[in-house]
């Protein structure tokens, strides 16, 4: 079974840092691009970042560029999102998702990040 | 940046009725790059339709997608109780690579 499991969310103060992880199983992780998508409470979906299978291509939304860093470890079947200089507006559920050509399937269950003093 | 607009914002229908959801892009989108997702409360989004009209694995045939260029449609032929949810369209482009529409909520009338 293809599965993605996020972890690392929690409560952090404005200006703080957090590192999210996504553990993949049930497929050849090293063959797929991966993405982070977030959803603020009661809001829609916002794409955050993507990384190609070999980490050669990395993209960020303007809203997180310069503050967030996406990375992956294919040997560990894991995806990461290092989030620095966090702001209240970064509060959201963060999902990792496998990129299957031009769409996302599957998605993890999400991890909640709350930025508040 | 390609902006996606979904209408209506909320669709109130009864089980058994037909639902027609619209997704309009600010510029032309290749059909290959248009997808639809369903999200229920407290759950992650689930891929329904990819390539504008292909159903994802395990998706019932009451769900269908159509359209091209800037206008795309998701149709649910006969609403089942489990279909009441929020639906998002998504396009895969160049910069930024991915954008989502704001969503259409299908709720019970």
């Amino acid at each position: 079974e293809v599965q993605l499991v996020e972890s690392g969310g929690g409560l952090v103060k404005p200006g703080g840092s957090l590192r999210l992880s996504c553990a993949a199983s049930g497929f050849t992780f090293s063959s797929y691009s991966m993405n982070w998508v977030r959803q603020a409470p009661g809001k829609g979906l916002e794409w955050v970042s993507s990384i190609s299978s070999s980490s050669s291509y990395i993209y960020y939304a303007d809203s997180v560029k310069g503050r967030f860093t996406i990375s992956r470890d294919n040997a560990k079947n894991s995806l990461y999102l290092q989030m620095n200089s966090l702001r209240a507006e970064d509060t959201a559920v963060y999902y990792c998702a496998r990129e299957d050509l031009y769409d996302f399937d599957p998605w993890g269950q999400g991890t909640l990040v709350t930025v508040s003093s | 940046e390609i902006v996606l607009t979904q209408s209506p914002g909320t669709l109130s229908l009864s089980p058994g009725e037909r639902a027609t959801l619209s997704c309009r892009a600010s510029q032309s989108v290749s059909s290959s790059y248009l997808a639809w997702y369903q999200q229920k409360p407290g759950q992650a989004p689930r891929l329904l339709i990819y390539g504008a009209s292909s159903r994802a694995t395990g998706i019932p045939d009451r769900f269908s997608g159509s359209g091209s260029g800037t206008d795309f449609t998701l149709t649910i032929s006969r609403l089942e109780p489990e279909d009441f949810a929020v639906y998002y369209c998504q396009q895969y482009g160049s910069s930024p690579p991915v954008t989502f529409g704001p969503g259409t909520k299908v709720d019970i009338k």
Side-chain angles (χ1 to χ4, degrees):
Chain A
E1 180 196 2
V2 176
Q3 194 170 15
L4 299 170
V5 179
E6 302 93 336
S7 60
L11 175 63
V12 62
K13 289 181 168 53
S17 298
L18 213 54
R19 189 195 196 205
L20 305 184
S21 299
C22 171
S25 60
F27 66 100
T28 305
F29 180 73
S30 59
S31 295
Y32 290 87
S33 294
M34 297 294 295
N35 288 256
W36 288 99
V37 178
R38 69 184 180 183
Q39 186 170 37
K43 303 297 183 182
L45 302 170
E46 179 189 15
W47 171 80
V48 172
S49 182
S50 68
I51 185 168
S52 63
S53 57
S54 60
S55 304
S56 298
Y57 300 97
I58 288 175
Y59 303 97
Y60 298 100
D62 287 344
S63 57
V64 307
K65 202 173 293 182
R67 300 187 298 123
F68 289 11
T69 302
I70 191 172
S71 63
R72 65 191 295 162
D73 185 335
N74 287 342
K76 295 183 177 179
N77 291 338
S78 293
L79 174 71
Y80 306 102
L81 187 67
Q82 177 66 44
M83 303 186 296
N84 299 331
S85 303
L86 283 161
R87 307 165 179 168
E89 54 265 36
D90 296 319
T91 294
V93 174
Y94 285 74
Y95 296 100
C96 66
R98 186 181 73 173
E99 188 174 313
D100 198 1
L101 280 182
Y102 309 114
D103 48 71
F104 297 160
D105 183 44
W107 300 54
Q109 87 289 348
T111 187
L112 176 61
V113 172
T114 302
V115 184
S116 174
S117 55
Chain B
E1 174 182 344
I2 296 179
V3 176
L4 299 178
T5 303
Q6 292 186 243
S7 61
T10 301
L11 195 53
S12 297
L13 294 168
S14 300
E17 289 193 293
R18 181 185 187 90
T20 303
L21 287 66
S22 173
C23 175
R24 180 162 291 177
S26 59
Q27 54 188 283
S28 186
V29 173
S30 167
S31 294
S32 299
Y33 300 165
L34 197 287
W36 290 91
Y37 300 86
Q38 177 194 65
Q39 187 179 33
K40 297 178 182 179
Q43 296 185 18
R46 177 176 71 146
L47 177 68
L48 292 177
I49 301 288
Y50 65 93
S53 60
S54 297
R55 274 186 301 277
T57 303
I59 301 303
D61 60 7
R62 63 180 181 273
F63 291 92
S64 64
S66 64
S68 64
T70 60
D71 290 297
F72 298 89
T73 301
L74 174 69
T75 302
I76 310 171
S77 59
R78 287 178 56 86
L79 282 164
E80 297 287 342
E82 62 268 28
D83 298 337
F84 292 92
V86 180
Y87 293 85
Y88 295 95
C89 58
Q90 170 244 315
Q91 71 85 30
Y92 190 102
S94 54
S95 182
V98 176
T99 53
F100 291 93
T104 289
K105 182 178 183 180
V106 179
D107 66 12
I108 300 176
K109 187 174 182 179

